[in-house]
């Protein structure tokens, strides 16, 4: 998803309107009623919980640009089905840490999730990862297999070597290459997005994630744009963008390490992450279920809420 962030910055540079003055506040002031903060390895994580903590745990991990808000139509339904649901914000997204000094690698993200599990006394959980969160889920499952009951990948996961090669070749001619050629320093990047990225333009950047863009109401736009009200948010985003990630988990690595049930969910009109990744994972693994939704884009948990919740809960229950 760093490629998408590069596109964000290119888009911001082309805007002709200046950012409006936005009220800058703290993450604590924006927290939800059921939201809490916890320190994990000196990193402040924001999370929400719902359900009885003695029930089987389900952890929801958002994708690039997402947050706990991504799961707003799912958390209560899953909890009502008899689960303890935990959704967290990975830094620098949502209301979690915006520091440029912390690690934003997939390995670190997996460790943050495990650290949160430790703080909540969760020994094992079913992990649900969307988009970028799918990569985090895969990393967690390979590096901490003893903490995983079941795995759910939503429009994201583990690429085969063939897909990784194709993506690398494509990056060379993408707008990301043009951005890199400008050789801006971090402070320059921060200034660009601070001065141009407001809720309205933020919305236009994520609109393509949806097959039916009418889902993006004013409420949804405000929910996704909430982090840009927090002091220092741009510093965190730029730090994320500049992070050189640790070696990624390959599909072969994943297949060799995983022996738990896996559910793969994808929108058939996804233009952000190719559905071929889901098919490749399904073909490579033995104990999998693959569900695809027609006329659905990159965020099925928002676009086809009832079907998504029903299919997820059925999988968690073993049906």
């Amino acid at each position: 998803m760093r490629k998408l962030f590069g596109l964000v910055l290119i888009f911001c540079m082309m805007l002709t309107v200046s950012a409006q003055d936005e009220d800058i506040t703290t993450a604590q002031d924006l927290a939800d009623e059921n939201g809490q903060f916890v320190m994990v390895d000196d990193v402040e994580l924001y999370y929400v919980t719902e359900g009885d903590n003695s029930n089987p745990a389900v952890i929801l991990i958002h994708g690039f640009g997402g947050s706990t808000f991504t799961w707003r139509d799912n958390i209560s339904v899953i909890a009502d089905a008899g689960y303890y649901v935990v959704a967290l914000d990975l830094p620098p997204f949502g209301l979690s840490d915006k520091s440029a000094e912390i690690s934003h690698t997939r390995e670190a993200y997996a460790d943050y999730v495990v650290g949160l599990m430790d703080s909540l006394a969760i020994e094992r959980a079913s992990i649900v990862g969307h988009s970028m969160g799918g990569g985090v889920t895969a990393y967690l499952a390979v590096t901490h297999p003893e903490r995983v009951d079941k795995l759910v990948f939503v429009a994201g996961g583990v690429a085969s070597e063939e897909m990784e090669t194709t993506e690398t070749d494509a990056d060379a001619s993408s707008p990301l290459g043009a951005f890199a050629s400008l050789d801006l320093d971090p402070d320059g990047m921060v200034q660009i997005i601070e001065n141009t990225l407001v809720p309205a333009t933020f919305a236009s950047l994520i609109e393509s994630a949806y097959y039916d863009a009418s889902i993006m109401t004013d409420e949804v736009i405000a929910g996704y744009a909430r982090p840009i009200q927090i002091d220092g948010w741009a510093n965190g985003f730029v730090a994320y963008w500049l992070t050189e990630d640790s070696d990624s988990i390959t599909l072969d690595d994943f297949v060799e390490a995983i022996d738990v049930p896996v559910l793969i969910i994808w929108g058939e009109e996804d233009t952000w992450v190719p559905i071929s990744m889901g098919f490749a994972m399904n073909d490579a693994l033995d104990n999998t279920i693959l569900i695809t939704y027609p006329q659905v884009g990159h965020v099925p948990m928002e676009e086809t809420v009832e079907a998504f919740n029903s299919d997820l809960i059925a999988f968690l229950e073993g049906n």
Side-chain angles (χ1 to χ4, degrees), residues 6-48:
L7 298 178
V8 167
L9 295 177
I10 288 289
F11 183 86
C12 290
M13 292 176 65
M14 297 188 299
L15 291 174
T16 58
V17 296
S18 296
Q20 303 167 5
D21 290 334
E22 294 292 325
D23 292 331
I24 298 299
T25 185
T26 67
Q28 285 73 15
D29 288 337
L30 296 173
D32 302 287
E33 185 177 342
N34 60 338
Q36 300 182 64
F37 295 86
V38 65
M39 296 299 295
V40 173
D41 296 332
D42 296 323
V43 175
E44 186 173 60
L45 298 181
Y46 176 74
Y47 67 99
V48 299

Side-chain angles (χ1 to χ4, degrees), residues 5 9 13 98-101 104 179-180 182-195 232-244:
F5 190 41
L9 295 177
M13 292 176 65
K98 301 291 182 283
S99 171
E101 306 304 319
H104 299 93
F179 177 76
L182 296 174
D183 197 27
L184 291 173
D185 61 23
D187 290 340
M189 295 181 189
V190 168
Q191 186 174 8
I192 287 171
I193 60 174
E194 277 185 336
N195 290 336
W233 68 270
N235 300 79
F237 271 43
V238 169
Y240 168 86
W241 161 245
L242 294 176
T243 294
E244 298 224 353

Side-chain angles (χ1 to χ4, degrees), residues 50 60 68-81 85 299-310 312-313:
E50 193 160 336
L60 306 176
T68 57
F69 181 78
T70 300
W71 310 101
R72 63 196 177 280
D73 295 322
N74 319 115
I75 293 174
S76 293
V77 178
I78 301 169
D80 288 345
V85 183
V299 279
M301 74 286 289
E302 299 181 51
E303 297 180 77
T304 180
V305 174
E306 186 174 343
F308 177 89
N309 288 338
S310 176
L312 173 59
I313 291 168

Side-chain angles (χ1 to χ4, degrees), residues 124 141 145 148-149 151 254-262 285 287:
R124 296 173 63 91
V148 173
D149 281 330
L151 299 171
F254 184 72
V255 170
E256 184 176 347
I258 299 307
D259 62 356
V260 298
V262 174
L285 292 161
N287 192 11

